Amino acid sequence: QVIAFAALDPRAEGSLDIFLPTLALATGTRDAAIRVTLDGSVDGRNKNTPRRTLSASGALLRYRTDADVAVEARYFTEEGAPLGFGPLPPVAEKTTAYRIFWNLKKTLHPLEQVEVSAVLPKIVSWSARSDASAGTIAYDEASRTVKWSIDRIADGEQNLEASFEVQLTPEKIDIGRFASLLGETHLIMKDPVVNESLSRKRAALSTDLENDEGARSKGVVKRE
């Protein structure tokens, strides 16, 4: 079925792409890999040329880490307690505070040199109220970048969280629309098991807090 393999001249080449759908990895898995082996045969060009068999030693294909980051902004906790303050819906030229959550989850492998970062929009300010279950959170005023840095995450650690407060002061031009709260979130990390640097990206956040029951439908900026 592979046209390139219908006939091969000496030193000619052909390729075969194989897709391997896999199941999701179970919680608690420490490592995972697929072992691939090759066995096949080649027909001669005529009846006097015998069929030859081919084989190759197995190759071990390791999974990369499945680490990823989830991003959420909230004004209230799931129980309804306030995390933020100020008018809700937000009001132009008045300040409303929200809490941003970064949740890092993984099943496979330790991680090294982990950084989660995002840029604050110009109408959002940093309040220095932050917390992290591991590593440190820092804010660079010149680049307006919030960064969560972790030197190493052990193999058995699967859930880490960081949060920080941002204070939004919408401008008059924001009236009648959702205001920007946080730029795109970027996760970069090194997986030492496969010796690769990997990255993930999550969409920017606005005042449209769909997952916050108390703040849902209260994200459009109002006139004072």
Side-chain angles (χ1 to χ4, degrees), residues 58-75:
L60 194 64
L61 308 178
R62 288 192 178 277
Y63 280 79
R64 296 184 178 101
T65 182
D66 58 341
D68 207 346
V69 63
V71 188
E72 184 179 31
R74 299 190 68 91
Y75 189 96

Side-chain angles (χ1 to χ4, degrees), residues 111-130:
L111 297 176
E112 298 173 350
Q113 303 167 25
V114 180
E115 288 186 356
V116 182
S117 63
V119 174
L120 298 186
K122 67 176 184 177
I123 57 174
V124 173
S125 61
W126 171 253
S127 75
R129 296 186 180 96
S130 63

Side-chain angles (χ1 to χ4, degrees), residues 25 31-32 62-68 104-112 155 157 187 189-194 196-200:
L25 298 170
D31 202 357
R62 288 192 178 277
Y63 280 79
R64 296 184 178 101
T65 182
D66 58 341
D68 207 346
L104 181 61
K105 293 184 178 181
K106 69 177 180 66
T107 302
L108 294 178
H109 303 167
L111 297 176
E112 298 173 350
D155 197 3
E157 291 184 276
L187 165 63
M189 57 198 159
K190 181 178 180 182
D191 183 339
V193 175
V194 297
E196 288 188 40
S197 295
L198 306 170
S199 63
R200 308 280 190 268

Side-chain angles (χ1 to χ4, degrees), residues 200-220:
R200 308 280 190 268
K201 183 172 70 173
R202 290 289 168 261
L205 298 180
S206 73
T207 51
D208 183 16
L209 308 188
E210 295 181 351
N211 296 326
D212 187 332
E213 186 175 351
R216 190 182 303 149
S217 302
K218 298 177 182 178
V220 175

